[in-house]
């Protein structure tokens, strides 16, 4: 192989390696039980976002009570706190209850989601869930808090 081809192969392979390591991680939808149990043990009452950081970690953002907002990263298997940040805010608790999270993921499963990466809610009450179906295709689902009806589905 000549020098020019080698010079082209190295950057290309480095790019592929970097792209592979930047991929999101997912867990089976039923692992939400473990994540919610650890979050409840920590003291969360309202959830703004739950995100799978890697196959063994999840980040939870939300409210501990009406004044304290937390951003905590847990080990999914044993609940070990890996990172935590708390802020005192005057806006008051808002977000999804544990039941809202479960209901939204049940709706996502009914739409074919097998693994999830992230579930989050905005202040207007719209819940967005990102994940994959059983074939590994990306799936994004939106629904209104408290509803069993999907507002939008995006299959990639």
């Amino acid at each position: 192989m000549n020098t020019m081809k080698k010079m082209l192969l190295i950057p290309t392979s480095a790019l592929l390696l970097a792209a592979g390591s930047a991929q999101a991680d997912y867990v089976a939808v039923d692992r939400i039980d473990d994540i919610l149990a650890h979050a409840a043990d920590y003291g969360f009452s309202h959830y703004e976002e739950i995100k799978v950081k890697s196959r063994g970690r999840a980040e939870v953002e939300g409210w501990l009570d009406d004044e304290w907002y937390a951003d905590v990263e847990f080990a999914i298997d044993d609940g070990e706190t890996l990172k935590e940040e708390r802020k005192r805010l005057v806006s008051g608790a808002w977000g999804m209850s544990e039941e809202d999270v479960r209901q939204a993921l049940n709706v996502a499963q009914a739409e074919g989601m097998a693994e999830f990466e992230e579930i989050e809610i905005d202040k207007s009450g719209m819940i967005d869930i990102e994940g994959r179906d059983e074939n590994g295709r990306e799936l994004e689902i939106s629904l209104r808090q408290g509803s069993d009806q999907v507002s939008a589905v995006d299959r990639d």
Side-chain angles (χ1 to χ4, degrees):
M1 184 179 297
N2 69 31
T3 307
M4 185 59 124
K5 283 185 180 178
K6 285 181 184 175
M7 287 174 42
L8 288 173
L9 283 177
I10 292 171
T12 303
S13 60
L15 237 167
L16 290 172
L17 182 61
S21 64
Q23 285 183 329
D25 284 306
Y26 302 84
V27 296
V29 172
D30 62 2
R31 293 298 310 265
I32 195 63
D33 294 332
D34 298 325
I35 296 168
L36 289 173
H38 300 317
D41 288 346
Y42 190 86
F44 279 94
S45 64
H46 294 80
Y47 302 93
E48 185 178 336
E49 179 179 26
I50 299 171
K51 184 173 188 174
V52 177
K53 300 296 279 186
S54 67
R55 289 236 178 244
R57 297 173 159 210
E59 180 180 14
V60 178
E61 293 183 46
W63 295 89
L64 303 176
D65 58 29
D66 282 337
E67 294 180 10
W68 287 98
Y69 183 86
D71 180 352
V72 181
E73 194 170 310
F74 297 102
I76 296 173
D77 289 333
D78 64 10
E80 177 186 357
T81 301
L82 304 169
K83 178 193 99 168
E84 64 184 314
E85 181 181 328
R86 293 182 190 203
K87 298 181 238 183
R88 190 175 216 157
L89 299 175
V90 294
S91 59
W94 66 274
M96 297 175 282
S97 68
E98 189 173 309
E99 181 57 34
D100 290 332
V101 172
R102 290 181 195 285
Q103 180 181 1
L105 284 171
N106 285 338
V107 171
Q109 272 188 304
E111 287 292 327
M113 188 173 290
E115 298 178 310
F116 84 98
E117 174 195 5
E118 181 177 7
I119 179 170
E120 66 181 325
I121 189 169
D122 66 19
K123 287 198 178 209
S124 73
M126 285 303 296
I127 298 172
D128 293 317
I129 309 163
E130 296 179 21
R132 296 189 300 201
D133 66 16
E134 61 187 27
N135 297 320
R137 288 182 40 204
E138 290 184 11
L139 183 61
E140 294 178 30
I141 297 171
S142 297
L143 64 140
R144 181 145 310 278
Q145 185 176 16
S147 173
D148 287 338
Q149 301 299 313
V150 173
S151 300
V153 176
D154 184 16
R155 299 176 196 277
D156 289 334

